[in-house]
Amino acid sequence: MRGLLAVEAAGAAASSASVLNGAVDWWRNVNESPLWQDRIFHALAVLYGIVSAVALVQLIRIECRVPEYGWTTQKVFHFLNFLVNGVRSVVFVLRRNVQLLEPEIIQHVLLDMPGLAFFTTYALLVLFWAEIYYQARAMSTDGLRPTFYWINGVVYAIQIILWLVLWWKPVRVMVIMSKMFFAGVSLFAALGFLLYGGRLFLMLQRFPVESKGRRKKLQEVGYVTTICFSCFLIRCIMMCLNAFDKAADLDVLNHPILNFFYYLLVEIVPSALVLFILRKLPPKRGITQYHPIH
């Protein structure tokens, strides 16, 4: 009986090993296949294109609803979503050509700049929530927008300096520094969502139960905070791995599967979900107060 069990266990182990080896071989074959590389990158381009189109349609709907307010926070948010996802779509359509560009710094700029713009897009949402929170507590919001512009200016300035140094001296340590800086920016964004999304969520929880729209706004803030915190935290972790582990390198053609799941988790799905959650059009003029960007 023991012998039979041992034989069965050995057979199960061999079967599991065979399946694992088969999966590893499939992963390797897909990564090394130019056909599959192009298919996966083009699939990413299509997904980014869809999200970009949805953001543009929503922007047009908002403009038709409240044209008199100019560039509101909501309009700028949707415009940046349209821009970021549109640029990503074009880059992935031309991904193989991008990899051939010289000097190599151009590749880094084309692949990293949309990520910085993604940070700015969702930092704008944190700013909007911070303004609502401070206004509700009768606190001054005068310093919020200058701080937002200052933070973004510093982030872009440091990244541009890193790119220029990398162009002047393309060594591995500069690539690592650039990726770790981006990881730090992503962590900063994740903490921003946790701080102001959490504060706004707790404040809404203290509102009277019969408050109009309280439950819906509570769900909206809770969902968006969770989604954005998670996506920026995942990006932070992946950037750290990307910096030190060549197997996690996202800037090469022969890691298409890793690229697909990375961009799906940190940009495409979060953007699609947030656009869906924030799909409600603003009220028409005269119904309630709106928040324009000055």
Side-chain angles (χ1 to χ4, degrees):
M1 186 66 179
R2 289 181 180 176
L4 181 60
L5 290 175
V7 170
E8 288 179 352
S15 177
S16 299
S18 177
V19 170
L20 181 61
N21 289 334
V24 170
D25 290 339
W26 175 84
W27 183 285
R28 186 183 300 112
N29 291 336
V30 170
N31 278 338
E32 295 176 357
S33 168
L35 178 61
W36 274 106
Q37 291 170 6
D38 290 341
R39 283 176 177 174
I40 291 174
F41 290 136
H42 290 163
L44 283 170
V46 170
L47 292 173
Y48 273 114
I50 292 171
V51 175
S52 179
V54 169
L56 179 60
V57 169
Q58 186 68 354
L59 174 61
I60 293 171
R61 292 178 67 211
I62 296 169
E63 176 61 25
C64 292
R65 185 68 173 262
V66 285
E68 64 274 7
Y69 283 110
W71 282 99
T72 64
T73 303
Q74 192 178 24
K75 290 178 185 177
V76 174
F77 176 76
H78 282 84
F79 174 73
L80 289 176
N81 261 296
F82 159 70
L83 194 64
V84 170
N85 287 283
V87 171
R88 281 284 195 211
S89 180
V90 172
V91 168
F92 277 113
V93 166
L94 305 173
R95 184 65 183 85
R96 191 167 295 279
N97 294 326
V98 169
Q99 198 70 22
L100 300 175
L101 291 174
E102 293 292 341
E104 189 177 337
I105 187 62
I106 300 176
Q107 300 175 27
H108 290 289
V109 173
L110 289 175
L111 293 173
D112 294 345
M113 182 59 81
L116 285 178
F118 185 86
F119 162 78
T120 298
T121 303
Y122 286 86
L124 185 66
L125 190 55
V126 174
L127 170 66
F128 183 62
W129 284 355
E131 287 179 332
I132 293 175
Y133 176 79
Y134 283 118
Q135 287 171 359
R137 296 178 65 88
M139 298 169 66
S140 174
T141 61
D142 293 343
L144 291 178
R145 287 187 181 274
T147 302
F148 169 80
Y149 297 134
W150 182 81
I151 289 173
N152 276 273
V154 169
V155 166
Y156 281 84
I158 293 176
Q159 184 61 73
I160 290 170
I161 290 171
L162 288 171
W163 282 335
L164 290 174
V165 174
L166 185 59
W167 184 18
W168 172 63
K169 196 169 185 179
V171 293
R172 177 65 182 168
V173 65
M174 290 309 304
V175 175
I176 292 174
M177 286 182 63
S178 180
K179 293 182 185 302
M180 291 305 298
F181 171 71
F182 202 70
V185 169
S186 300
L187 181 61
F188 181 74
L191 294 176
F193 272 102
L194 193 62
L195 177 63
Y196 286 105
R199 282 181 171 182
L200 190 57
F201 184 83
L202 293 175
M203 185 183 73
L204 289 170
Q205 272 191 326
R206 290 193 292 268
F207 277 16
V209 176
E210 63 274 9
S211 294
K212 186 178 179 180
R214 169 189 174 275
R215 183 178 179 183
K216 187 172 182 180
K217 184 59 67 175
L218 195 64
Q219 290 177 339
E220 178 184 298
V221 172
Y223 289 151
V224 174
T225 298
T226 303
I227 292 166
C228 294
F229 171 76
S230 300
C231 86
F232 279 107
L233 186 61
I234 292 171
R235 185 191 287 271
C236 173
I237 294 169
M238 277 302 303
M239 281 294 104
C240 292
L241 293 174
N242 186 14
F244 297 102
D245 187 355
K246 285 186 176 293
D249 194 350
L250 295 162
D251 299 335
V252 293
L253 291 176
N254 60 347
H255 288 160
I257 302 174
L258 181 64
N259 269 264
F260 182 81
F261 286 108
Y262 170 75
Y263 287 108
L264 195 69
L265 289 174
V266 304
E267 288 187 0
I268 296 172
V269 170
S271 295
L273 290 174
V274 170
L275 287 173
F276 176 75
I277 294 169
L278 303 180
R279 68 192 181 279
K280 183 180 178 182
L281 292 176
K284 291 183 179 179
R285 187 174 186 177
I287 295 177
T288 188
Q289 184 182 9
Y290 196 46
H291 300 271
I293 264 189
H294 299 290

